[in-house]
Amino acid sequence: MRKKFKPVRMCVVCRTRYYKDELLKFNQKNILNFDSVGRSFYICRDCICKDDKILKKYISKITKIDNINLEKIKESVLYGGCSHK
Ligand SMILES: [Zn+2]
């Protein structure tokens, strides 16, 4: 039996809707240097390769956190680099 419904989430940067399993999921634990629990958010694979300044702007806007550890974010999902830089 095939189910047609798949959960959809929105990328916080480009605001495009994708299937949840195509997006990269983050929470505040991923973006800070210390442990904390908070709401999670999603970023698509195209947006994660965008300019650091752009990413920081969007992520701090939705998490209300200024000291984002963007290196940690990228490291955790890109395994060392962006495929189309
Ligand atoms: Zn996006």
Side-chain angles (χ1 to χ4, degrees), residues 15-34:
R15 303 197 152 257
T16 305
R17 286 177 191 279
Y18 292 92
Y19 290 126
K20 198 179 160 191
D21 52 15
E22 293 174 39
L23 290 163
L24 305 161
K25 187 185 182 182
F26 299 99
N27 55 45
Q28 292 186 8
K29 231 178 181 170
N30 296 123
I31 61 173
L32 294 168
N33 289 313
F34 56 89

Side-chain angles (χ1 to χ4, degrees), residues 17-59:
R17 286 177 191 279
Y18 292 92
Y19 290 126
K20 198 179 160 191
D21 52 15
E22 293 174 39
L23 290 163
L24 305 161
K25 187 185 182 182
F26 299 99
N27 55 45
Q28 292 186 8
K29 231 178 181 170
N30 296 123
I31 61 173
L32 294 168
N33 289 313
F34 56 89
D35 269 1
S36 67
V37 185
R39 59 180 291 202
S40 50
F41 56 95
Y42 296 84
I43 296 177
C44 73
R45 283 167 199 281
D46 284 337
C47 289
I48 201 70
C49 294
K50 282 184 178 169
D51 195 76
D52 286 7
K53 268 188 286 184
I54 296 168
L55 288 175
K56 270 191 181 170
K57 195 181 92 183
Y58 279 100
I59 297 171

